[in-house]
Amino acid sequence: MALSRVCWARSAVWGSAVTPGHFVTRRLQLGRSGLAWGAPRSSKLHLSPKADVKNLMSYVVTKTKAINGKYHRFLGRHFPRFYILYTILMKGLQMLWADAKKARRIKTNMWKHNIKFHQLPYREMEHLRQFRQDVTKCLFLGIISIPPFANYLVFLLMYLFPRQLLIRHFWTPKQQTDFLDIYHAFRKQSHPEIISYLEKVIPLISDAGLRWRLTDLCTKIQRGTHPAIHDILALRECFSNHPLGMNQLQALHVKALSRAMLLTSYLPPPLLRHRLKTHTTVIHQLDKALAKLGIGQLTAQEVKSACYLRGLNSTHIGEDRCRTWLGEWLQISCSLKEAELSLLLHNVVLLSTNYLGTRR
Protein backbone atom coordinates (compact mmCIF):
# COMPACT_ATOMS: atom_id res chain seq x y z
CA MET A 1 0.00 0.00 0.00
CA ALA A 2 2.72 2.34 0.96
CA LEU A 3 4.60 1.53 -2.22
CA SER A 4 1.50 2.03 -4.39
CA ARG A 5 0.83 5.41 -2.78
CA VAL A 6 4.42 6.44 -3.48
CA CYS A 7 4.09 5.35 -7.14
CA TRP A 8 0.76 7.17 -7.43
CA ALA A 9 2.27 10.32 -5.97
CA ARG A 10 5.24 10.14 -8.37
CA SER A 11 2.95 9.54 -11.31
CA ALA A 12 0.87 12.52 -10.24
CA VAL A 13 3.95 14.64 -9.94
CA TRP A 14 5.24 13.50 -13.34
CA GLY A 15 1.80 13.87 -14.84
CA SER A 16 1.58 17.42 -13.67
CA ALA A 17 4.99 18.03 -15.06
CA VAL A 18 4.18 16.48 -18.46
CA THR A 19 0.85 18.19 -19.00
CA PRO A 20 2.11 21.74 -18.53
CA GLY A 21 5.10 20.84 -20.63
CA HIS A 22 2.87 19.83 -23.49
CA PHE A 23 0.86 23.07 -23.08
CA VAL A 24 3.99 25.21 -23.11
CA THR A 25 5.27 23.40 -26.16
CA ARG A 26 1.96 24.08 -27.94
CA ARG A 27 2.11 27.73 -26.96
CA LEU A 28 5.64 27.97 -28.34
CA GLN A 29 4.53 26.33 -31.54
CA LEU A 30 1.65 28.75 -31.85
CA GLY A 31 3.97 31.59 -31.02
CA ARG A 32 6.45 30.50 -33.67
CA SER A 33 3.72 29.99 -36.22
CA GLY A 34 2.38 33.43 -35.28
CA LEU A 35 5.80 34.93 -35.87
CA ALA A 36 6.01 33.07 -39.14
CA TRP A 37 2.63 34.44 -40.18
CA GLY A 38 3.45 37.94 -38.98
CA ALA A 39 6.62 38.28 -41.03
CA PRO A 40 4.92 38.71 -44.42
CA ARG A 41 2.39 41.05 -42.82
CA SER A 42 5.13 43.30 -41.53
CA SER A 43 6.93 43.19 -44.92
CA LYS A 44 3.78 44.47 -46.57
CA LEU A 45 3.57 47.41 -44.19
CA HIS A 46 7.23 48.26 -44.40
CA LEU A 47 8.08 50.45 -47.43
CA SER A 48 11.32 51.02 -49.25
CA PRO A 49 13.04 54.39 -48.82
CA LYS A 50 11.99 55.49 -52.33
CA ALA A 51 8.36 54.58 -51.67
CA ASP A 52 8.50 56.39 -48.32
CA VAL A 53 9.77 59.56 -50.01
CA LYS A 54 7.17 59.26 -52.77
CA ASN A 55 4.31 58.87 -50.30
CA LEU A 56 5.65 61.73 -48.20
CA MET A 57 5.88 64.02 -51.22
CA SER A 58 2.36 63.05 -52.30
CA TYR A 59 1.08 63.83 -48.82
CA VAL A 60 2.85 67.20 -48.76
CA VAL A 61 1.50 68.14 -52.21
CA THR A 62 -2.05 67.15 -51.24
CA LYS A 63 -1.91 69.15 -48.01
CA THR A 64 -0.37 72.14 -49.80
CA LYS A 65 -3.16 72.15 -52.39
CA ALA A 66 -5.76 71.95 -49.66
CA ILE A 67 -4.20 74.83 -47.71
CA ASN A 68 -3.81 76.86 -50.91
CA GLY A 69 -7.48 76.30 -51.74
CA LYS A 70 -8.57 77.46 -48.29
CA TYR A 71 -6.31 80.51 -48.61
CA HIS A 72 -7.85 81.40 -51.99
CA ARG A 73 -11.38 81.06 -50.63
CA PHE A 74 -10.46 83.23 -47.64
CA LEU A 75 -9.08 85.97 -49.90
CA GLY A 76 -12.07 85.73 -52.23
CA ARG A 77 -14.54 86.17 -49.35
CA HIS A 78 -12.80 88.85 -47.28
CA PHE A 79 -10.57 90.71 -49.81
CA PRO A 80 -12.21 90.35 -53.27
CA ARG A 81 -10.33 93.20 -54.98
CA PHE A 82 -6.98 92.06 -53.65
CA TYR A 83 -7.85 88.50 -54.65
CA ILE A 84 -8.36 89.60 -58.27
CA LEU A 85 -4.94 91.27 -58.31
CA TYR A 86 -3.36 88.26 -56.61
CA THR A 87 -4.90 85.86 -59.15
CA ILE A 88 -3.73 87.97 -62.09
CA LEU A 89 -0.22 88.16 -60.64
CA MET A 90 0.07 84.42 -60.09
CA LYS A 91 -1.33 83.54 -63.52
CA GLY A 92 0.94 86.14 -65.11
CA LEU A 93 4.01 84.65 -63.46
CA GLN A 94 3.00 81.17 -64.62
CA MET A 95 2.52 82.35 -68.21
CA LEU A 96 5.80 84.27 -68.16
CA TRP A 97 7.64 81.23 -66.83
CA ALA A 98 6.05 79.04 -69.52
CA ASP A 99 7.11 81.57 -72.18
CA ALA A 100 10.66 81.55 -70.85
CA LYS A 101 10.86 77.75 -70.97
CA LYS A 102 9.50 77.68 -74.50
CA ALA A 103 11.91 80.41 -75.64
CA ARG A 104 14.82 78.48 -74.11
CA ARG A 105 13.71 75.30 -75.87
CA ILE A 106 13.54 77.14 -79.22
CA LYS A 107 16.97 78.72 -78.73
CA THR A 108 18.47 75.37 -77.75
CA ASN A 109 17.04 73.78 -80.89
CA MET A 110 18.40 76.64 -82.99
CA TRP A 111 21.86 76.15 -81.49
CA LYS A 112 21.86 72.36 -81.92
CA HIS A 113 20.73 72.39 -85.54
CA ASN A 114 22.40 75.67 -86.57
CA ILE A 115 19.08 77.32 -87.47
CA LYS A 116 18.81 81.07 -88.03
CA PHE A 117 15.91 83.18 -86.82
CA HIS A 118 14.40 83.66 -90.29
CA GLN A 119 14.43 79.86 -90.83
CA LEU A 120 12.11 79.14 -87.90
CA PRO A 121 8.40 78.37 -88.29
CA TYR A 122 6.06 81.32 -87.90
CA ARG A 123 4.83 80.56 -84.38
CA GLU A 124 8.36 80.08 -83.01
CA MET A 125 9.55 83.31 -84.65
CA GLU A 126 6.61 85.23 -83.23
CA HIS A 127 7.14 83.71 -79.77
CA LEU A 128 10.79 84.78 -79.68
CA ARG A 129 9.95 88.28 -80.92
CA GLN A 130 7.22 88.77 -78.30
CA PHE A 131 9.31 87.27 -75.51
CA ARG A 132 12.22 89.60 -76.27
CA GLN A 133 9.85 92.55 -76.14
CA ASP A 134 8.43 91.39 -72.80
CA VAL A 135 11.87 90.85 -71.29
CA THR A 136 12.97 94.30 -72.43
CA LYS A 137 9.97 95.85 -70.70
CA CYS A 138 10.60 93.86 -67.50
CA LEU A 139 14.25 94.92 -67.51
CA PHE A 140 13.33 98.41 -66.32
CA LEU A 141 11.55 96.98 -63.28
CA GLY A 142 14.57 94.85 -62.50
CA ILE A 143 16.88 97.85 -62.61
CA ILE A 144 14.80 100.05 -60.30
CA SER A 145 14.40 97.12 -57.87
CA ILE A 146 18.15 96.89 -57.21
CA PRO A 147 18.44 99.50 -54.40
CA PRO A 148 17.56 98.29 -50.88
CA PHE A 149 13.85 98.43 -50.00
CA ALA A 150 13.07 99.65 -53.52
CA ASN A 151 10.89 96.63 -54.17
CA TYR A 152 8.11 98.21 -52.07
CA LEU A 153 8.18 101.24 -54.36
CA VAL A 154 8.17 98.95 -57.40
CA PHE A 155 4.95 97.25 -56.27
CA LEU A 156 3.32 100.65 -55.84
CA LEU A 157 4.44 101.79 -59.28
CA MET A 158 3.19 98.54 -60.83
CA TYR A 159 -0.22 99.13 -59.27
CA LEU A 160 -0.38 102.79 -60.35
CA PHE A 161 1.11 102.41 -63.85
CA PRO A 162 0.26 98.92 -65.13
CA ARG A 163 0.27 99.94 -68.79
CA GLN A 164 3.73 101.46 -68.71
CA LEU A 165 5.45 98.92 -66.42
CA LEU A 166 3.66 95.58 -66.82
CA ILE A 167 3.47 93.23 -69.77
CA ARG A 168 0.25 91.78 -71.21
CA HIS A 169 0.34 88.72 -68.90
CA PHE A 170 -0.42 90.95 -65.91
CA TRP A 171 -3.30 92.90 -67.47
CA THR A 172 -6.96 92.17 -66.88
CA PRO A 173 -9.07 91.45 -69.99
CA LYS A 174 -10.56 94.96 -69.80
CA GLN A 175 -7.10 96.49 -69.40
CA GLN A 176 -5.86 94.62 -72.46
CA THR A 177 -8.57 96.16 -74.62
CA ASP A 178 -8.22 99.63 -73.12
CA PHE A 179 -4.41 99.67 -73.28
CA LEU A 180 -4.34 98.48 -76.90
CA ASP A 181 -6.75 101.28 -77.78
CA ILE A 182 -4.49 103.79 -76.04
CA TYR A 183 -1.39 102.53 -77.83
CA HIS A 184 -3.14 102.64 -81.18
CA ALA A 185 -4.31 106.20 -80.50
CA PHE A 186 -0.66 107.14 -79.91
CA ARG A 187 0.52 105.71 -83.21
CA LYS A 188 -2.53 107.03 -85.10
CA GLN A 189 -1.53 110.56 -84.11
CA SER A 190 1.56 110.23 -86.30
CA HIS A 191 -0.35 109.15 -89.43
CA PRO A 192 -1.21 112.66 -90.74
CA GLU A 193 2.38 113.75 -90.06
CA ILE A 194 3.76 110.87 -92.13
CA ILE A 195 1.37 111.60 -95.00
CA SER A 196 2.50 115.24 -94.95
CA TYR A 197 6.15 114.16 -95.16
CA LEU A 198 5.30 112.03 -98.19
CA GLU A 199 3.68 115.03 -99.87
CA LYS A 200 6.74 117.17 -99.16
CA VAL A 201 9.12 114.82 -100.98
CA ILE A 202 6.94 114.43 -104.08
CA PRO A 203 8.77 117.27 -105.95
CA LEU A 204 12.07 115.45 -105.29
CA ILE A 205 10.98 112.38 -107.25
CA SER A 206 12.47 112.45 -110.75
CA ASP A 207 9.92 110.21 -112.47
CA ALA A 208 6.73 112.08 -113.39
CA GLY A 209 4.61 108.93 -113.31
CA LEU A 210 5.75 108.09 -109.78
CA ARG A 211 5.06 111.68 -108.70
CA TRP A 212 1.50 111.42 -109.97
CA ARG A 213 0.93 108.00 -108.37
CA LEU A 214 2.21 109.13 -104.97
CA THR A 215 0.12 112.31 -105.12
CA ASP A 216 -2.97 110.30 -106.00
CA LEU A 217 -2.29 107.83 -103.17
CA CYS A 218 -1.89 110.57 -100.56
CA THR A 219 -5.08 112.26 -101.80
CA LYS A 220 -7.07 109.02 -101.50
CA ILE A 221 -5.89 108.45 -97.95
CA GLN A 222 -6.68 112.01 -96.89
CA ARG A 223 -10.19 111.65 -98.35
CA GLY A 224 -10.80 108.46 -96.35
CA THR A 225 -10.40 105.93 -99.18
CA HIS A 226 -8.73 102.60 -98.54
CA PRO A 227 -6.00 102.17 -101.20
CA ALA A 228 -5.85 99.14 -103.47
CA ILE A 229 -2.89 96.77 -103.40
CA HIS A 230 -1.74 97.70 -106.91
CA ASP A 231 -1.74 101.40 -105.97
CA ILE A 232 0.82 100.70 -103.25
CA LEU A 233 2.96 98.21 -105.18
CA ALA A 234 3.23 100.67 -108.07
CA LEU A 235 5.41 102.85 -105.80
CA ARG A 236 8.07 100.21 -105.07
CA GLU A 237 10.76 102.04 -107.00
CA CYS A 238 9.93 105.29 -105.23
CA PHE A 239 10.67 103.76 -101.81
CA SER A 240 13.84 101.88 -102.79
CA ASN A 241 16.11 104.93 -103.26
CA HIS A 242 16.16 108.70 -102.84
CA PRO A 243 14.13 110.37 -101.39
CA LEU A 244 12.11 107.68 -99.59
CA GLY A 245 14.67 104.91 -99.22
CA MET A 246 15.34 103.73 -95.67
CA ASN A 247 18.73 105.47 -95.58
CA GLN A 248 17.48 108.70 -97.18
CA LEU A 249 14.59 109.50 -94.81
CA GLN A 250 14.79 112.79 -92.89
CA ALA A 251 15.21 112.78 -89.10
CA LEU A 252 11.69 114.09 -88.35
CA HIS A 253 10.24 111.57 -90.77
CA VAL A 254 12.12 108.76 -88.99
CA LYS A 255 10.80 109.91 -85.61
CA ALA A 256 7.21 109.95 -86.88
CA LEU A 257 7.62 106.43 -88.27
CA SER A 258 9.05 105.29 -84.92
CA ARG A 259 5.94 106.52 -83.14
CA ALA A 260 3.78 104.75 -85.73
CA MET A 261 5.61 101.49 -84.90
CA LEU A 262 5.28 102.11 -81.12
CA LEU A 263 9.04 102.56 -80.79
CA THR A 264 10.61 105.31 -78.73
CA SER A 265 11.38 108.46 -80.71
CA TYR A 266 13.78 110.01 -78.19
CA LEU A 267 16.94 108.39 -79.50
CA PRO A 268 19.47 109.91 -81.94
CA PRO A 269 18.40 109.58 -85.60
CA PRO A 270 21.06 106.94 -86.47
CA LEU A 271 19.80 104.68 -83.66
CA LEU A 272 16.18 105.30 -84.64
CA ARG A 273 16.98 104.39 -88.25
CA HIS A 274 18.73 101.20 -87.13
CA ARG A 275 15.80 100.18 -84.91
CA LEU A 276 13.33 100.81 -87.71
CA LYS A 277 15.40 98.70 -90.09
CA THR A 278 15.64 95.85 -87.59
CA HIS A 279 11.95 96.00 -86.69
CA THR A 280 10.82 96.12 -90.32
CA THR A 281 13.17 93.26 -91.28
CA VAL A 282 11.71 91.07 -88.52
CA ILE A 283 8.16 91.80 -89.69
CA HIS A 284 9.17 90.97 -93.26
CA GLN A 285 10.63 87.64 -92.13
CA LEU A 286 7.48 86.92 -90.13
CA ASP A 287 5.38 87.67 -93.20
CA LYS A 288 7.30 85.13 -95.29
CA ALA A 289 6.93 82.47 -92.60
CA LEU A 290 3.22 83.28 -92.22
CA ALA A 291 2.66 83.06 -95.97
CA LYS A 292 4.27 79.62 -95.90
CA LEU A 293 2.07 78.52 -92.98
CA GLY A 294 -1.15 80.06 -94.30
CA ILE A 295 -3.50 82.54 -92.63
CA GLY A 296 -6.14 79.82 -92.34
CA GLN A 297 -3.94 77.95 -89.85
CA LEU A 298 -3.98 80.84 -87.36
CA THR A 299 -6.40 81.09 -84.46
CA ALA A 300 -8.60 84.15 -84.04
CA GLN A 301 -6.31 85.56 -81.35
CA GLU A 302 -3.20 84.99 -83.47
CA VAL A 303 -4.83 86.80 -86.40
CA LYS A 304 -5.75 89.80 -84.26
CA SER A 305 -2.27 89.96 -82.73
CA ALA A 306 -0.66 89.80 -86.18
CA CYS A 307 -2.87 92.63 -87.46
CA TYR A 308 -2.18 94.81 -84.43
CA LEU A 309 1.58 94.37 -84.83
CA ARG A 310 1.31 95.59 -88.43
CA GLY A 311 -0.64 98.75 -87.58
CA LEU A 312 -4.31 97.77 -87.54
CA ASN A 313 -6.39 98.23 -84.39
CA SER A 314 -7.92 94.76 -84.49
CA THR A 315 -9.53 94.86 -81.03
CA HIS A 316 -12.83 96.10 -82.45
CA ILE A 317 -12.81 94.35 -85.84
CA GLY A 318 -14.30 90.98 -86.67
CA GLU A 319 -12.11 87.98 -87.36
CA ASP A 320 -13.09 87.74 -91.05
CA ARG A 321 -12.16 91.36 -91.74
CA CYS A 322 -8.88 90.88 -89.90
CA ARG A 323 -8.05 87.89 -92.07
CA THR A 324 -8.91 89.87 -95.22
CA TRP A 325 -6.71 92.77 -94.19
CA LEU A 326 -3.85 90.45 -93.21
CA GLY A 327 -4.09 88.80 -96.62
CA GLU A 328 -3.69 92.20 -98.30
CA TRP A 329 -0.68 92.95 -96.13
CA LEU A 330 0.99 89.64 -96.96
CA GLN A 331 0.37 90.13 -100.67
CA ILE A 332 2.26 93.43 -100.51
CA SER A 333 5.00 92.28 -98.13
CA CYS A 334 5.87 89.09 -100.01
CA SER A 335 6.24 91.10 -103.23
CA LEU A 336 8.91 93.38 -101.76
CA LYS A 337 12.66 92.92 -101.74
CA GLU A 338 14.98 93.87 -98.90
CA ALA A 339 15.87 97.19 -100.58
CA GLU A 340 12.17 98.10 -100.71
CA LEU A 341 11.40 97.65 -97.01
CA SER A 342 10.78 101.38 -96.62
CA LEU A 343 7.49 100.81 -98.45
CA LEU A 344 6.60 98.04 -95.99
CA LEU A 345 7.36 100.45 -93.14
CA HIS A 346 5.08 103.10 -94.62
CA ASN A 347 2.47 100.44 -95.30
CA VAL A 348 1.67 100.56 -91.57
CA VAL A 349 0.05 103.91 -92.33
CA LEU A 350 -1.03 103.47 -95.95
CA LEU A 351 -2.95 100.22 -95.48
CA SER A 352 -4.43 100.70 -92.00
CA THR A 353 -5.59 104.31 -91.85
CA ASN A 354 -8.93 103.95 -93.66
CA TYR A 355 -9.62 100.23 -93.45
CA LEU A 356 -13.32 99.40 -92.99
CA GLY A 357 -14.33 98.77 -89.40
CA THR A 358 -11.51 100.69 -87.77
CA ARG A 359 -12.31 103.25 -85.11
CA ARG A 360 -11.75 106.86 -86.09
Side-chain angles (χ1 to χ4, degrees):
M1 288 293 291
L3 182 59
S4 63
R5 290 177 181 175
V6 170
C7 291
W8 179 85
R10 290 182 64 183
S11 63
V13 171
W14 283 106
S16 63
V18 171
T19 303
H22 176 73
F23 178 75
V24 171
T25 304
R26 185 64 178 168
R27 289 288 301 273
L28 288 175
Q29 290 177 354
L30 290 173
R32 289 172 184 172
S33 62
L35 290 174
W37 296 339
R41 195 175 299 171
S42 63
S43 65
K44 292 181 181 178
L45 294 176
H46 181 68
L47 300 175
S48 63
K50 290 185 178 179
D52 288 340
V53 173
K54 185 177 180 180
N55 284 348
L56 179 61
M57 292 298 296
S58 177
Y59 175 78
V60 171
V61 170
T62 303
K63 284 295 183 182
T64 303
K65 288 182 178 179
I67 295 173
N68 193 37
K70 292 180 180 179
Y71 178 65
H72 280 208
R73 289 191 293 271
F74 172 78
L75 290 179
R77 285 195 305 266
H78 299 281
F79 305 98
R81 296 185 64 182
F82 176 77
Y83 177 68
I84 294 175
L85 297 176
Y86 172 79
T87 304
I88 294 173
L89 177 63
M90 298 306 297
K91 289 183 178 180
L93 290 174
Q94 292 175 359
M95 290 188 290
L96 183 60
W97 178 247
D99 286 350
K101 290 195 296 185
K102 184 177 180 180
R104 182 182 180 183
R105 184 169 63 252
I106 295 172
K107 295 292 288 185
T108 302
N109 186 59
M110 292 173 61
W111 179 77
K112 284 183 178 179
H113 299 90
N114 194 23
I115 300 175
K116 303 299 182 182
F117 176 79
H118 66 276
Q119 297 173 326
L120 291 172
Y122 171 76
R123 286 190 173 92
E124 293 185 357
M125 292 176 64
E126 174 60 23
H127 183 83
L128 287 182
R129 184 204 65 81
Q130 186 62 56
F131 182 71
R132 290 171 184 170
Q133 181 177 336
D134 293 341
V135 170
T136 302
K137 195 170 184 179
C138 293
L139 189 61
F140 175 73
L141 285 178
I143 293 175
I144 63 178
S145 301
I146 293 177
F149 306 105
N151 53 343
Y152 300 106
L153 176 61
V154 169
F155 284 120
L156 179 61
L157 293 176
M158 289 166 56
Y159 179 78
L160 295 177
F161 306 102
R163 178 176 62 84
Q164 293 86 347
L165 298 179
L166 298 180
I167 59 177
R168 68 193 190 286
H169 293 327
F170 302 97
W171 295 345
T172 64
K174 184 178 183 304
Q175 285 178 333
Q176 291 183 11
T177 303
D178 293 343
F179 293 166
L180 290 179
D181 284 341
I182 292 173
Y183 280 130
H184 184 72
F186 286 158
R187 63 185 181 186
K188 197 174 181 63
Q189 289 175 358
S190 63
H191 289 187
E193 186 178 355
I194 293 173
I195 298 299
S196 67
Y197 285 133
L198 292 178
E199 290 180 324
K200 289 179 181 179
V201 301
I202 289 176
L204 303 178
I205 300 175
S206 57
D207 189 278
L210 291 177
R211 286 201 302 269
W212 180 85
R213 288 181 180 276
L214 184 56
T215 302
D216 182 62
L217 180 62
C218 292
T219 302
K220 285 182 178 180
I221 293 176
Q222 289 173 338
R223 290 178 178 176
T225 304
H226 181 66
I229 296 176
H230 61 83
D231 291 335
I232 297 176
L233 288 178
L235 297 169
R236 294 169 57 175
E237 182 182 351
C238 189
F239 285 85
S240 60
N241 47 40
H242 183 79
L244 291 175
M246 190 74 77
N247 295 323
Q248 286 79 33
L249 296 175
Q250 299 297 319
L252 294 177
H253 195 164
V254 170
K255 289 186 177 182
L257 287 170
S258 297
R259 291 192 296 271
M261 299 297 290
L262 294 179
L263 301 174
T264 179
S265 60
Y266 300 105
L267 297 175
L271 291 179
L272 290 179
R273 198 183 308 273
H274 174 73
R275 290 195 69 188
L276 281 176
K277 281 184 180 180
T278 303
H279 196 72
T280 310
T281 301
V282 170
I283 292 179
H284 193 224
Q285 293 170 349
L286 284 169
D287 291 340
K288 291 181 178 179
L290 179 55
K292 186 182 298 185
L293 175 65
I295 299 177
Q297 300 298 320
L298 299 183
T299 64
Q301 183 58 42
E302 288 175 333
V303 170
K304 287 182 175 290
S305 298
C307 291
Y308 193 89
L309 173 66
R310 291 157 178 81
L312 182 70
N313 187 13
S314 54
T315 55
H316 304 281
I317 304 178
E319 179 185 347
D320 293 338
R321 286 186 172 182
C322 288
R323 291 184 185 274
T324 302
W325 185 90
L326 188 58
E328 294 180 3
W329 174 282
L330 290 183
Q331 189 173 345
I332 295 173
S333 177
C334 294
S335 302
L336 300 178
K337 301 177 182 179
E338 185 176 354
E340 301 167 340
L341 290 185
S342 178
L343 178 57
L344 184 65
L345 179 60
H346 286 81
N347 205 36
V348 172
V349 178
L350 301 177
L351 199 64
S352 65
T353 300
N354 299 319
Y355 184 67
L356 296 177
T358 54
R359 294 177 65 182
R360 300 298 181 88

